């Protein structure tokens, strides 16, 4: 009896000791994490339709498979504006920004793709490498990461950012590039040459890859093709460059702003057609169609790339391609947007309509290829950068974007901001 009581007592003591040790380990871990937390200044969207606010946030260190990045540059993209306007639904509060570049500051356990000090571009499409889409060379459609990305969270369903009162702050595309620092999945970090300036590395992360890829991968433009690109922003001008390197014989840029003429011609467009303003969409599209037909001997273009995301322009892209031609929809339209598809006409004229998400590329493989094309002079990516802004000028940057004043605006951080502003390329 005494032996039994002794054994039970010993077991209880051991259990209590194990429990206490576990709690001490957990407490020590939390204290260590707290010690490693840092503050970061970020542009936060609190309410749809309202300006972004510059807040000081708390950033927890990277967990397993994650990387802490010191941001150097982040592009001003219309996809983020869709969240601000409410056209894209997203949990709030959130730090926006999905087109960025920076330097690796710290790596979590198990990270092997990058190391501290590496210069990187960020991809907004991390991938698992094992799902159906990943094994079919479509990592940008990875099903494992689709849920967390749209929730603005990391793979464990939580975010690494909090407000002063402890409220979690979402990270758009699991990134949140409009912040001095961000913690991201290692699969979002693509090693890039340090000789490429941060602004260009940032644009390779979205606009350039989306536009160039739409031309070279999705549309598969061939030498001698005639091409029309609708929209002269960062994606559209990148599509023009993609058409150039693919050997297109005629490249027609369509935009409502006459200022985009020079921007288009400087990156390889051969013609510019202004989309009429102050008239109905139907009338404006009819005039553009007439002009495109006159430039193509009445046939239409082999390939049309719509890079804005407006249904009327998506419809126009189908109208201006020749029988047997291909229309590629690249611009991100508001959720639930739709167009009327002339199905009988598509069938009888053998027209093809394609969606293009992230240019149909594989970031880990194609980012470095695009970087080399830039370094060898084949892609004049510097010409995309219209203006640089500090983080506290971010609302001004989006105002400029909305009126069509930019090809691409770029938010610059730290030394990049102090040494490169206000110079323009």
């Amino acid at each position: 009896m005494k032996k039994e009581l002794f054994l039970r007592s010993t077991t209880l003591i051991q259990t209590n000791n194990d429990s206490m040790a576990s709690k001490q380990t957990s407490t020590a871990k939390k204290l260590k994490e707290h010690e490693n937390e840092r503050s970061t200044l970020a542009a936060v969207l609190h309410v749809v339709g309202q300006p972004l606010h510059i807040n000081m946030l708390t950033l927890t260190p990277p967990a397993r498979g994650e990387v802490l990045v010191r941001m150097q540059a982040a592009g001003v993209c219309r996809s983020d504006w869709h969240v601000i306007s409410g056209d894209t639904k997203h949990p709030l509060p959130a730090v926006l920004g999905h087109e960025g570049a920076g330097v690796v500051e710290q790596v979590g356990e198990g990270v092997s793709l990058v190391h501290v000090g590496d210069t990187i571009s960020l991809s907004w499409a991390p991938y698992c490498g094992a799902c159906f889409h990943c094994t079919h060379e479509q990592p940008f459609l990875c099903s494992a990461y689709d849920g967390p990305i749209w929730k603005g969270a990391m793979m464990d369903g939580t975010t690494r950012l909090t407000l002063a009162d402890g409220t979690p702050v979402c990270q758009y595309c699991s990134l949140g590039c409009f912040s001095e620092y961000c913690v991201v999945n290692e699969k979002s970090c693509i090693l890039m040459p340090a000789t490429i300036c941060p602004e260009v590395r940032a644009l390779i992360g979205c606009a350039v890859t989306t536009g160039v890829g739409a031309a070279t991968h999705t549309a598969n433009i061939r030498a001698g093709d005639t091409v029309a690109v609708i929209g002269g922003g960062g994606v559209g001008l990148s599509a023009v460059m993609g058409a150039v390197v693919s050997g297109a014989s005629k490249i027609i840029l369509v935009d409502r702003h006459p200022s985009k003429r020079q921007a288009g011609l400087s990156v390889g467009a051969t013609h510019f057609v202004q989309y009429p303003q102050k008239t109905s969409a139907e009338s404006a599209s009819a005039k553009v169609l007439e002009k495109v037909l006159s430039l193509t001997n009445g046939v239409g273009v082999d390939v049309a790339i719509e890079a804005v995301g407006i249904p009327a322009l998506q419809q126009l892209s189908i109208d201006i391609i020749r029988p047997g031609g291909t229309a590629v929809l690249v611009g991100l339209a508001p959720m639930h947007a739709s167009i009327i598809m002339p199905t009988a006409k598509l069938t009888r004229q053998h027209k093809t309509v394609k969606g293009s998400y992230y240019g149909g590329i594989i970031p880990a493989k194609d980012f470095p290829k695009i970087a080399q094309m830039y370094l060898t002079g084949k892609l004049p990516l510097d010409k995309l950068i219209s203006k640089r802004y500090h983080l506290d000028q971010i609302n001004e940057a989006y105002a400029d974007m909305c009126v069509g004043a930019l090809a691409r605006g770029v938010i610059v951080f730290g030394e990049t901001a102090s040494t490169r502003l206000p110079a323009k390329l």
Side-chain angles (χ1 to χ4, degrees), residues 162-199:
T162 55
L163 292 169
D165 63 2
T167 300
V169 179
C170 297
Q171 301 168 237
Y172 185 52
C173 289
S174 300
L175 296 176
C177 295
F178 295 151
S179 174
E180 294 174 316
Y181 292 88
C182 59
V183 169
V184 304
N185 189 285
E186 72 166 320
K187 294 288 185 66
S188 288
C189 300
I190 311 299
L191 187 64
M192 299 289 274
T195 52
I196 300 179
C197 72
E199 297 95 317

Side-chain angles (χ1 to χ4, degrees), residues 40-64:
T40 181
L41 207 60
V44 183
L45 178 67
H46 292 269
V47 180
V48 168
Q50 296 297 312
L52 298 172
H53 290 267
I54 306 301
N55 295 138
M56 187 64 74
L57 305 179
T58 298
L59 178 65
T60 57
R64 184 175 183 82

Side-chain angles (χ1 to χ4, degrees), residues 104-343:
V104 174
E105 287 277 301
Q106 182 184 351
V107 297
E109 293 181 16
V111 171
S112 60
L113 297 179
V114 292
H115 302 87
V116 173
D118 284 345
T119 55
I120 60 170
S121 292
L122 289 172
S123 161
W124 51 258
Y127 57 95
C128 69
C131 71
F132 174 87
H133 298 292
C134 285
T135 57
H136 286 72
E137 298 191 332
Q138 295 176 321
F140 47 88
L141 297 176
C142 177
S143 56
Y145 283 88
D146 186 60
I149 285 176
W150 282 107
K151 291 178 181 177
M154 304 302 287
M155 279 301 286
D156 63 2
T158 66
T159 178
R160 302 293 170 262
L161 294 167
T162 55
L163 292 169
D165 63 2
T167 300
V169 179
C170 297
Q171 301 168 237
Y172 185 52
C173 289
S174 300
L175 296 176
C177 295
F178 295 151
S179 174
E180 294 174 316
Y181 292 88
C182 59
V183 169
V184 304
N185 189 285
E186 72 166 320
K187 294 288 185 66
S188 288
C189 300
I190 311 299
L191 187 64
M192 299 289 274
T195 52
I196 300 179
C197 72
E199 297 95 317
V200 170
R201 279 191 282 118
L203 299 193
I204 290 175
C206 182
V208 171
T209 297
T210 301
V212 171
T216 60
H217 287 60
T218 310
N220 193 25
I221 294 171
R222 297 170 297 182
D225 279 351
T226 56
V227 179
V229 176
I230 302 174
V235 174
L237 294 177
S238 296
V240 169
M241 293 187 217
V244 171
V245 298
S246 297
S249 62
K250 186 174 292 184
I251 306 169
I252 305 165
L253 178 64
V254 180
D255 198 282
R256 61 176 177 157
H257 297 283
S259 62
K260 297 296 177 69
R261 174 190 295 273
Q262 185 54 43
L265 296 178
S266 72
V267 297
T270 58
H271 298 79
F272 178 81
V273 174
Q274 185 176 357
Y275 187 86
Q277 301 185 64
K278 298 181 180 180
T279 185
S280 69
E282 183 178 354
S283 175
S285 293
K287 291 180 180 179
V288 171
L289 173 59
E290 180 182 1
K291 185 65 176 176
V292 170
L293 289 175
S294 71
L295 292 170
T296 56
N297 299 317
V299 176
V301 292
D302 296 303
V303 174
I305 298 174
E306 197 279 342
V308 184
I310 295 177
L313 298 181
Q314 294 175 330
Q315 187 73 56
L316 174 62
S317 70
I318 299 172
D319 293 338
I320 62 178
I321 58 174
R322 65 168 177 80
T326 300
V328 178
L329 309 184
V330 181
L332 188 62
M335 286 185 170
H336 310 302
S338 63
I339 62 174
I340 298 174
M341 298 287 284
T343 52

